[in-house]
Amino acid sequence: DAMVIQNPRYQVTQFGKPVTLSCSQTLNHNVMYWYQQKSSQAPKLLFHYYDKDFNNEADTPDNFQSRRPNTSFCFLDIRSPGLGDAAMYLCATSRDWSSQYFGPGTRLTVL
Amino acid sequence: GQQVMQIPQYQHVQEGEDFTTYCNSSTTLSNIQWYKQRPGGHPVFLIQLVKSGEVKKQKRLTFQFGEAKKNSSLHITATQTTDVGTYFCAGRVDSNYQLIWGAGTKLIIKP
């Protein structure tokens, strides 16, 4: 089945220790998104790729970076995680600006 | 900035009662999407509304888009335990790719 896959599902890191989250998709969608979602809140868009074009949201901290080496894969790098970065990180894809398909998410814990 | 207000934040209903959540935008929307997020899960796309005054039904769910394309609602008839979760609206403004997410309405079924 076509899907969006995120690894790992759970990630524990130490304060300040870099972490990379991965996302892959078999939908062949040209747009990929990274969202941060905290408890009882709506997903907050961090950035997205439209094809190879990277778009950073204005309020996304510099601590967050992303890479998209090819159509299928996208990575979220958190260079120096702080306690406030503990959250669920959701990857999503879409064909142009149509409906978004979300992966199961990676829950990040920062100790 | 552009906002989509969603109310109520929570709604407790007895199984079999109806449920409604409302979204209001400060600006005219080109379309609005609805997503459902089960507890511990990820958002799942339900539907997109594009036309002024549009009404769409999915079994017990009825979605409406206002005539002015600034408001939308989701109504569930005769709720079931499988309806539990948080319902998000997300609107898109003309000439802007970005989805503006409502805060979500959490549907809780009273035992």
Side-chain angles (χ1 to χ4, degrees), chain A residues 1-6 23-29 72 93 101-104:
Chain A
D1 288 342
M3 54 175 40
V4 181
I5 301 163
Q6 290 188 243
C23 177
S24 64
Q25 53 129 342
T26 59
L27 297 162
N28 202 30
H29 284 168
S72 301
T93 72
Y101 290 78
F102 284 80

PDB file of all heavy atoms in Angstrom, chain A residues 1-6 23-29 72 93 101-104:
ATOM      1  N   ASP A   1       0.836  -1.188   0.000  1.00  0.00           N
ATOM      2  CA  ASP A   1       0.000   0.000   0.000  1.00  0.00           C
ATOM      3  C   ASP A   1       0.880   1.251   0.000  1.00  0.00           C
ATOM      4  O   ASP A   1       1.894   1.293   0.678  1.00  0.00           O
ATOM      5  CB  ASP A   1      -0.891   0.038   1.249  1.00  0.00           C
ATOM      6  CG  ASP A   1      -1.990  -0.997   1.182  1.00  0.00           C
ATOM      7  OD1 ASP A   1      -2.260  -1.471   0.064  1.00  0.00           O
ATOM      8  OD2 ASP A   1      -2.551  -1.328   2.228  1.00  0.00           O
ATOM      9  N   ALA A   2       0.445   2.243  -0.762  1.00  0.00           N
ATOM     10  CA  ALA A   2       1.159   3.512  -0.756  1.00  0.00           C
ATOM     11  C   ALA A   2       1.020   4.166   0.606  1.00  0.00           C
ATOM     12  O   ALA A   2      -0.049   4.156   1.203  1.00  0.00           O
ATOM     13  CB  ALA A   2       0.582   4.423  -1.840  1.00  0.00           C
ATOM     14  N   MET A   3       2.130   4.728   1.089  1.00  0.00           N
ATOM     15  CA  MET A   3       2.070   5.251   2.434  1.00  0.00           C
ATOM     16  C   MET A   3       3.212   6.213   2.733  1.00  0.00           C
ATOM     17  O   MET A   3       4.116   6.393   1.933  1.00  0.00           O
ATOM     18  CB  MET A   3       2.119   4.110   3.447  1.00  0.00           C
ATOM     19  CG  MET A   3       3.294   3.193   3.276  1.00  0.00           C
ATOM     20  SD  MET A   3       3.433   1.922   4.543  1.00  0.00           S
ATOM     21  CE  MET A   3       1.759   1.421   4.787  1.00  0.00           C
ATOM     22  N   VAL A   4       3.103   6.823   3.922  1.00  0.00           N
ATOM     23  CA  VAL A   4       4.138   7.690   4.467  1.00  0.00           C
ATOM     24  C   VAL A   4       4.691   6.993   5.710  1.00  0.00           C
ATOM     25  O   VAL A   4       3.930   6.633   6.605  1.00  0.00           O
ATOM     26  CB  VAL A   4       3.562   9.076   4.833  1.00  0.00           C
ATOM     27  CG1 VAL A   4       4.659   9.975   5.369  1.00  0.00           C
ATOM     28  CG2 VAL A   4       2.902   9.712   3.617  1.00  0.00           C
ATOM     29  N   ILE A   5       6.004   6.815   5.729  1.00  0.00           N
ATOM     30  CA  ILE A   5       6.658   6.063   6.800  1.00  0.00           C
ATOM     31  C   ILE A   5       7.606   6.982   7.546  1.00  0.00           C
ATOM     32  O   ILE A   5       8.361   7.734   6.922  1.00  0.00           O
ATOM     33  CB  ILE A   5       7.451   4.873   6.220  1.00  0.00           C
ATOM     34  CG1 ILE A   5       6.514   3.954   5.438  1.00  0.00           C
ATOM     35  CG2 ILE A   5       8.162   4.102   7.325  1.00  0.00           C
ATOM     36  CD1 ILE A   5       7.247   3.003   4.515  1.00  0.00           C
ATOM     37  N   GLN A   6       7.560   6.911   8.860  1.00  0.00           N
ATOM     38  CA  GLN A   6       8.475   7.721   9.662  1.00  0.00           C
ATOM     39  C   GLN A   6       9.281   6.813  10.592  1.00  0.00           C
ATOM     40  O   GLN A   6       8.739   5.886  11.184  1.00  0.00           O
ATOM     41  CB  GLN A   6       7.710   8.762  10.486  1.00  0.00           C
ATOM     42  CG  GLN A   6       7.112   9.855   9.616  1.00  0.00           C
ATOM     43  CD  GLN A   6       6.527  10.976  10.455  1.00  0.00           C
ATOM     44  OE1 GLN A   6       5.325  11.230  10.421  1.00  0.00           O
ATOM     45  NE2 GLN A   6       7.385  11.667  11.193  1.00  0.00           N
ATOM     46  N   CYS A  23      11.697  10.463   7.063  1.00  0.00           N
ATOM     47  CA  CYS A  23      10.382  10.263   6.471  1.00  0.00           C
ATOM     48  C   CYS A  23      10.568   9.738   5.062  1.00  0.00           C
ATOM     49  O   CYS A  23      11.413  10.263   4.315  1.00  0.00           O
ATOM     50  CB  CYS A  23       9.620  11.586   6.454  1.00  0.00           C
ATOM     51  SG  CYS A  23       7.995  11.491   5.657  1.00  0.00           S
ATOM     52  N   SER A  24       9.800   8.742   4.699  1.00  0.00           N
ATOM     53  CA  SER A  24       9.821   8.268   3.322  1.00  0.00           C
ATOM     54  C   SER A  24       8.389   8.069   2.857  1.00  0.00           C
ATOM     55  O   SER A  24       7.485   7.852   3.665  1.00  0.00           O
ATOM     56  CB  SER A  24      10.612   6.959   3.196  1.00  0.00           C
ATOM     57  OG  SER A  24       9.986   5.936   3.922  1.00  0.00           O
ATOM     58  N   GLN A  25       8.204   8.157   1.535  1.00  0.00           N
ATOM     59  CA  GLN A  25       6.851   8.033   0.994  1.00  0.00           C
ATOM     60  C   GLN A  25       6.882   7.238  -0.309  1.00  0.00           C
ATOM     61  O   GLN A  25       7.851   7.328  -1.083  1.00  0.00           O
ATOM     62  CB  GLN A  25       6.250   9.419   0.748  1.00  0.00           C
ATOM     63  CG  GLN A  25       7.110  10.333  -0.105  1.00  0.00           C
ATOM     64  CD  GLN A  25       6.389  10.958  -1.273  1.00  0.00           C
ATOM     65  OE1 GLN A  25       5.323  10.496  -1.687  1.00  0.00           O
ATOM     66  NE2 GLN A  25       6.965  12.011  -1.830  1.00  0.00           N
ATOM     67  N   THR A  26       5.820   6.473  -0.498  1.00  0.00           N
ATOM     68  CA  THR A  26       5.684   5.696  -1.730  1.00  0.00           C
ATOM     69  C   THR A  26       4.547   6.246  -2.594  1.00  0.00           C
ATOM     70  O   THR A  26       4.106   5.586  -3.530  1.00  0.00           O
ATOM     71  CB  THR A  26       5.403   4.218  -1.402  1.00  0.00           C
ATOM     72  OG1 THR A  26       4.194   4.137  -0.641  1.00  0.00           O
ATOM     73  CG2 THR A  26       6.544   3.610  -0.615  1.00  0.00           C
ATOM     74  N   LEU A  27       4.072   7.442  -2.238  1.00  0.00           N
ATOM     75  CA  LEU A  27       2.951   8.047  -2.962  1.00  0.00           C
ATOM     76  C   LEU A  27       3.401   8.827  -4.187  1.00  0.00           C
ATOM     77  O   LEU A  27       2.565   9.263  -4.980  1.00  0.00           O
ATOM     78  CB  LEU A  27       2.175   8.972  -2.010  1.00  0.00           C
ATOM     79  CG  LEU A  27       1.523   8.286  -0.807  1.00  0.00           C
ATOM     80  CD1 LEU A  27       1.179   9.292   0.281  1.00  0.00           C
ATOM     81  CD2 LEU A  27       0.277   7.540  -1.243  1.00  0.00           C
ATOM     82  N   ASN A  28       4.706   9.053  -4.301  1.00  0.00           N
ATOM     83  CA  ASN A  28       5.262   9.872  -5.387  1.00  0.00           C
ATOM     84  C   ASN A  28       4.688  11.287  -5.395  1.00  0.00           C
ATOM     85  O   ASN A  28       4.499  11.898  -6.458  1.00  0.00           O
ATOM     86  CB  ASN A  28       5.032   9.206  -6.751  1.00  0.00           C
ATOM     87  CG  ASN A  28       6.019   9.718  -7.794  1.00  0.00           C
ATOM     88  OD1 ASN A  28       7.142  10.089  -7.473  1.00  0.00           O
ATOM     89  ND2 ASN A  28       5.590   9.766  -9.043  1.00  0.00           N
ATOM     90  N   HIS A  29       4.424  11.803  -4.202  1.00  0.00           N
ATOM     91  CA  HIS A  29       3.940  13.176  -4.086  1.00  0.00           C
ATOM     92  C   HIS A  29       5.102  14.147  -4.179  1.00  0.00           C
ATOM     93  O   HIS A  29       6.195  13.876  -3.669  1.00  0.00           O
ATOM     94  CB  HIS A  29       3.208  13.373  -2.755  1.00  0.00           C
ATOM     95  CG  HIS A  29       1.849  12.767  -2.750  1.00  0.00           C
ATOM     96  ND1 HIS A  29       1.103  12.619  -1.588  1.00  0.00           N
ATOM     97  CD2 HIS A  29       1.070  12.284  -3.749  1.00  0.00           C
ATOM     98  CE1 HIS A  29      -0.060  12.085  -1.882  1.00  0.00           C
ATOM     99  NE2 HIS A  29      -0.103  11.866  -3.184  1.00  0.00           N
ATOM    100  N   SER A  72      11.472  10.729  -2.620  1.00  0.00           N
ATOM    101  CA  SER A  72      10.865   9.823  -1.654  1.00  0.00           C
ATOM    102  C   SER A  72      11.239  10.089  -0.205  1.00  0.00           C
ATOM    103  O   SER A  72      10.531   9.664   0.697  1.00  0.00           O
ATOM    104  CB  SER A  72      11.240   8.379  -1.992  1.00  0.00           C
ATOM    105  OG  SER A  72      10.813   8.041  -3.286  1.00  0.00           O
ATOM    106  N   THR A  93       2.691  14.468   3.107  1.00  0.00           N
ATOM    107  CA  THR A  93       2.952  14.655   1.679  1.00  0.00           C
ATOM    108  C   THR A  93       1.662  15.057   0.987  1.00  0.00           C
ATOM    109  O   THR A  93       0.560  14.807   1.493  1.00  0.00           O
ATOM    110  CB  THR A  93       3.478  13.368   1.021  1.00  0.00           C
ATOM    111  OG1 THR A  93       2.404  12.409   0.915  1.00  0.00           O
ATOM    112  CG2 THR A  93       4.608  12.746   1.814  1.00  0.00           C
ATOM    113  N   TYR A 101      -1.303  13.747   3.289  1.00  0.00           N
ATOM    114  CA  TYR A 101      -1.244  12.409   3.869  1.00  0.00           C
ATOM    115  C   TYR A 101      -0.140  12.417   4.920  1.00  0.00           C
ATOM    116  O   TYR A 101       1.010  12.709   4.603  1.00  0.00           O
ATOM    117  CB  TYR A 101      -0.946  11.361   2.794  1.00  0.00           C
ATOM    118  CG  TYR A 101      -2.092  11.149   1.847  1.00  0.00           C
ATOM    119  CD1 TYR A 101      -2.337  12.053   0.821  1.00  0.00           C
ATOM    120  CD2 TYR A 101      -2.935  10.064   1.982  1.00  0.00           C
ATOM    121  CE1 TYR A 101      -3.393  11.876  -0.053  1.00  0.00           C
ATOM    122  CE2 TYR A 101      -3.994   9.864   1.106  1.00  0.00           C
ATOM    123  CZ  TYR A 101      -4.218  10.779   0.097  1.00  0.00           C
ATOM    124  OH  TYR A 101      -5.273  10.597  -0.764  1.00  0.00           O
ATOM    125  N   PHE A 102      -0.518  12.078   6.134  1.00  0.00           N
ATOM    126  CA  PHE A 102       0.420  12.143   7.245  1.00  0.00           C
ATOM    127  C   PHE A 102       1.007  10.778   7.555  1.00  0.00           C
ATOM    128  O   PHE A 102       0.329   9.744   7.432  1.00  0.00           O
ATOM    129  CB  PHE A 102      -0.284  12.662   8.513  1.00  0.00           C
ATOM    130  CG  PHE A 102      -0.532  14.139   8.493  1.00  0.00           C
ATOM    131  CD1 PHE A 102      -1.609  14.676   7.798  1.00  0.00           C
ATOM    132  CD2 PHE A 102       0.319  15.004   9.164  1.00  0.00           C
ATOM    133  CE1 PHE A 102      -1.843  16.043   7.781  1.00  0.00           C
ATOM    134  CE2 PHE A 102       0.096  16.372   9.160  1.00  0.00           C
ATOM    135  CZ  PHE A 102      -0.980  16.889   8.462  1.00  0.00           C
ATOM    136  N   GLY A 103       2.280  10.791   7.990  1.00  0.00           N
ATOM    137  CA  GLY A 103       2.867   9.595   8.556  1.00  0.00           C
ATOM    138  C   GLY A 103       2.432   9.446  10.001  1.00  0.00           C
ATOM    139  O   GLY A 103       1.758  10.329  10.563  1.00  0.00           O
ATOM    140  N   PRO A 104       2.842   8.336  10.640  1.00  0.00           N
ATOM    141  CA  PRO A 104       2.417   8.078  12.021  1.00  0.00           C
ATOM    142  C   PRO A 104       3.085   8.965  13.057  1.00  0.00           C
ATOM    143  O   PRO A 104       2.640   9.012  14.202  1.00  0.00           O
ATOM    144  CB  PRO A 104       2.810   6.615  12.228  1.00  0.00           C
ATOM    145  CG  PRO A 104       3.927   6.391  11.271  1.00  0.00           C
ATOM    146  CD  PRO A 104       3.636   7.238  10.085  1.00  0.00           C
TER     147      PRO A 104
END
